[in-house]
């Protein structure tokens, strides 16, 4: 089994890419303003702390009068405590406001992307793997949440603190300021260069995690095949190999980050201690007070810490910029199939739809050189049952896709009840059509909810009536909780025939004038086929029906049989007429019925 490819991680981008988030931030201007106020107040509280400490040292500890000294100490400690309380309250308010913003913006962004993807035509998924869409919805939005709800706030807070500390040092200690510039050059610059290696290893680690997740998803969705080939041990080893590679990459990343942390701590400590030593010499020489020295040291620490945090925040911003670009690509995609600006409104017929295919020519977007349908024309009267017959790849399923406007033909048009389908809104068009696919799709919910999917506002009685008409009621009532029984993922608790009858009940509840049946009985045993066939005959009454079938026994009673080959309509008529013609259909009938 080939190894599943890892999803490409976005390379570092410019932080300007984050501008795509502005439409999602605009509705929350008030919260952003509050967050900025709390951020500035928290930073200001931090910057006031060294000044309060200087007052404690110079005015409290060095006061000549013992009584006055005690009062001064008490006042200075109360001031320090007041600063700490202000810092705690403003930091908590900033944290809550910014975290709320991160969660809210991420939720809005995730909902917008998901809703937009649901509006795309199948052509979109021909070039965009579903796994990549899920990755963008989950991994990329999580990165955005980290930045909006944490990193950006931390970066702004430390930028304010860093600039404030720098300004205080320039004003009070120009000499220390010069040493600070040297510290920035000799510590931050090499740390930034080495930090690029850490970020590369972080992305590599994410890729290895994606590899393991891809393997797990692939295998868990094919458990029946894995078990039938007794491949459990083999797949466990394959997953273990992927996770081991992830572990080794994570260790390399951790080792590199440990070296970076050690370098920053040791280098900063060295420069700070050197500055402190020079400061103590200045205090001994009477050039500087002890309080001024303590104040300068704290501002240097604040500045160095702010620079370190900004370095990490910048890396997060780059990663989030790449994630934002990928999300904006999804939001910027446009479906080639759109509802008209002024759709035609008409009442659906009650006796079946009329249908006309007029000179249809079509190729799939991913295969422009291969025509799926060529000059296809046919008229279908209301209430008729029309069978589509032909080898695989003849264009039968393509007709269904065009009728549902998953795609639009390059030439020709389809007319439904006298109106070209391009003139109907997509909602109205698809509401007129019910489909029972070869592989019925059931959701992870109850039997009641799965049938009601065809008509969300249907009552319980309407759902049961549809189930009775589709011969599904007889097995549903025997389930542990009846109609409220959870059917499992993709309906795994039901047999193939039972799943098919649920799908038929869903289509009947929708009650459309046009019904599409795509090989609805091809994968069933004889008993299930009889039950499903009876359900289908019930569903077809009073409706126009198009049936795709390889088993010709199921289409002998059709009003018309259309024989397709290589996208062309090559034969048309009833069963006995086509047999008498001695053409393609007659050959297929001879093979099946003689067998």
């Amino acid at each position: 089994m080939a190894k599943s490819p890892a999803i490409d991680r976005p390379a570092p981008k410019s932080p300007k890419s984050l501008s795509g988030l502005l439409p999602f931030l605009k509705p929350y201007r008030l919260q952003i303003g509050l967050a900025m106020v709390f951020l500035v107040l928290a930073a200001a509280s931090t910057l006031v702390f060294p000044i309060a400490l200087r007052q404690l040292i110079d005015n409290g500890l060095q006061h000549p009068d013992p009584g006055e000294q005690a009062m001064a100490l008490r006042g200075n400690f109360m001031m320090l405590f007041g600063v700490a309380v202000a810092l705690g309250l403003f930091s908590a308010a900033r944290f809550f406001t910014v975290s709320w913003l991160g969660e809210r913006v991420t939720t809005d962004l995730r909902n917008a992307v998901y809703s937009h993807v649901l509006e795309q035509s199948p052509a979109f998924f021909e070039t965009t793997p579903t796994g990549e869409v899920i990755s963008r919805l989950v991994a990329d939005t999580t990165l955005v949440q980290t930045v909006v709800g944490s990193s950006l706030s931390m970066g702004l807070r430390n930028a304010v603190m860093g600039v404030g500390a720098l300004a205080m040092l320039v004003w009070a200690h120009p000499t220390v300021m010069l040493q600070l510039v040297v510290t920035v050059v000799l510590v931050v610059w090499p740390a930034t260069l080495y930090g690029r290696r850490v970020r590369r290893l972080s992305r590599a680690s994410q890729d290895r995690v994606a590899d393991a997740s891809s393997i797990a998803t692939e295998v868990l969705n094919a458990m029946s095949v894995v078990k039938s080939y007794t491949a459990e041990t083999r797949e466990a080893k394959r997953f273990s190999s992927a996770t081991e590679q992830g572990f080794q990459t994570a260790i390399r990343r951790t080792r590199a980050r440990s070296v970076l942390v050690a370098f920053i701590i040791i280098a900063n400590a060295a420069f700070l201690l050197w500055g402190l030593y020079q400061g103590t010499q200045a205090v001994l020489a009477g050039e500087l007070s002890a309080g001024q020295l303590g104040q300068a040291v704290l501002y240097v620490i604040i500045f160095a810490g702010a620079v370190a945090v900004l370095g990490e925040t910048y890396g997060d911003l780059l990663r989030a910029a790449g994630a934002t670009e990928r999300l904006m690509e999804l939001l910027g995609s446009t479906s080639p199939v759109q509802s008209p600006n002024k759709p035609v409104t008409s009442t659906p017929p009650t006796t079946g739809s009329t249908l006309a295919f007029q000179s249809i020519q079509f190729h799939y977007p991913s295969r422009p050189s291969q025509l799926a349908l060529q000059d296809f024309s046919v008229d279908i009267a209301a209430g008729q049952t029309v069978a589509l017959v032909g080898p695989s790849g003849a264009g039968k399923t393509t007709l269904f896709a065009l009728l549902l406007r998953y795609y639009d033909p390059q030439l020709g048009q389809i007319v439904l009840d006298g109106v070209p389908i391009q003139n109907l809104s997509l909602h109205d068009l698809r509401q007129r059509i019910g489909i029972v696919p070869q592989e019925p799709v059931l959701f992870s919910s109850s039997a009641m909810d799965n049938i009601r999917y065809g008509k969300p506002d249907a009552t319980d009685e309407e759902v049961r009536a549809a189930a009775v008409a589709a011969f599904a009621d007889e097995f549903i009532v025997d389930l542990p909780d009846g109609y409220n029984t959870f059917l499992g993922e993709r309906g795994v608790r039901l047999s193939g025939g039972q799943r098919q009858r649920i799908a038929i009940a869903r289509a009947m509840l929708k009650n459309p004038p046009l019904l599409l049946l795509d090989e609805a009985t091809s994968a069933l045993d004889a008993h299930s086929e009889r039950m499903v066939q009876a359900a289908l005959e019930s569903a077809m009454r009073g409706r126009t029906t198009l049936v795709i079938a390889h088993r010709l026994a199921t289409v002998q009673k059709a009003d018309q049989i259309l024989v397709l080959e290589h996208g062309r309509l090559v034969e048309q008529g009833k069963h006995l007429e086509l047999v008498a013609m001695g053409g393609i259909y007659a050959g297929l009938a001879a093979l099946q019925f003689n067998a």
Side-chain angles (χ1 to χ4, degrees), residues 249-541:
T249 306
I251 290 301
R252 289 198 298 272
R253 179 201 66 204
T254 305
R255 184 184 300 118
R257 187 154 190 168
S258 299
V259 171
L260 179 62
V261 169
F263 170 75
I264 291 175
I265 291 175
I266 293 172
N268 274 334
F271 283 108
L272 286 174
L273 289 172
W274 172 250
L276 184 59
Y277 172 76
Q278 288 188 320
T280 55
Q281 297 301 311
V283 171
L284 292 175
E287 300 171 356
L288 201 67
S289 71
Q292 288 176 315
L293 175 61
Q295 177 181 322
V297 169
L298 283 181
Y299 279 131
V300 170
I301 292 173
I302 291 172
F303 180 81
V307 170
V309 171
L310 285 172
E312 290 191 12
T313 301
Y314 186 70
D316 290 340
L317 288 177
L318 292 179
R319 292 178 61 207
T324 302
E325 279 194 359
R326 298 196 342 154
L327 291 167
M328 292 306 113
E329 285 174 6
L330 281 183
L331 285 174
S333 58
T334 304
S335 173
V337 177
Q338 300 282 347
S339 291
N341 293 328
K342 295 181 179 180
V344 174
T345 57
S346 62
T347 303
T350 57
T351 58
S353 292
T354 61
L355 184 61
F357 293 89
Q358 301 175 349
S359 303
I360 298 297
Q361 184 164 305
F362 172 73
H363 63 74
Y364 285 96
S366 58
R367 290 168 281 170
S369 61
Q370 181 181 352
L371 284 176
L373 287 172
Q374 303 180 53
D375 195 28
F376 182 87
S377 298
V378 69
D379 292 322
I380 299 171
Q384 278 193 334
T385 295
V386 178
L388 304 175
V389 176
S392 297
K396 304 184 296 298
T397 303
T398 300
L399 284 174
F400 282 12
L402 293 177
L403 187 52
L404 287 159
R405 277 202 78 196
Y406 295 161
Y407 306 90
D408 283 332
Q410 282 79 36
L411 294 174
Q413 67 177 359
I414 301 172
V415 179
L416 181 65
D417 297 319
V419 181
I421 61 173
Q422 287 92 340
N423 296 339
L424 293 169
S425 71
L426 290 175
H427 178 269
D428 288 346
L429 169 66
R430 292 167 184 170
Q431 280 295 105
R432 294 168 181 245
I433 303 173
I435 184 167
V436 180
Q438 181 177 2
E439 291 293 335
V441 177
L442 300 188
F443 299 93
S444 299
S445 58
S446 67
M448 179 73 74
D449 290 338
N450 267 286
I451 297 175
R452 187 179 274 127
Y453 199 82
K455 185 181 177 183
D457 58 349
T459 64
D460 290 355
E461 289 71 23
E462 289 176 319
V463 171
R464 290 190 176 91
V468 169
F471 296 91
D473 179 77
E474 61 183 35
F475 72 83
I476 293 177
V477 294
D478 291 334
L479 295 173
D481 296 314
Y483 280 83
N484 293 319
T485 301
F486 177 69
L487 302 183
E489 187 177 5
R490 302 191 306 277
V492 294
R493 297 185 178 184
L494 302 179
S495 68
Q498 290 171 336
R499 290 197 296 271
Q500 198 67 278
R501 280 180 276 172
I502 292 283
I504 294 169
R506 179 192 294 165
M508 293 181 72
L509 180 64
K510 187 179 182 181
N511 194 26
L514 177 59
L515 183 63
L516 309 181
L517 306 178
D518 186 359
E519 291 287 355
T521 63
S522 64
L524 304 179
D525 58 75
H527 174 71
S528 296
E529 182 177 0
R530 282 196 299 270
M531 297 301 298
V532 171
Q533 192 64 45
L536 290 173
E537 290 175 2
S538 175
M540 292 160 63
R541 293 191 190 102

Side-chain angles (χ1 to χ4, degrees), residues 15-32:
K16 292 180 180 179
S17 302
L18 292 170
S19 60
L21 298 177
L22 290 177
F24 296 92
L25 291 168
K26 284 182 179 179
Y28 307 110
R29 297 184 186 90
L30 175 61
Q31 290 84 350
I32 293 173

Side-chain angles (χ1 to χ4, degrees), residues 49-60:
F49 197 86
I51 298 175
L53 182 64
R54 173 185 173 182
Q55 294 295 324
L56 171 67
I57 295 173
D58 288 346
N59 299 335

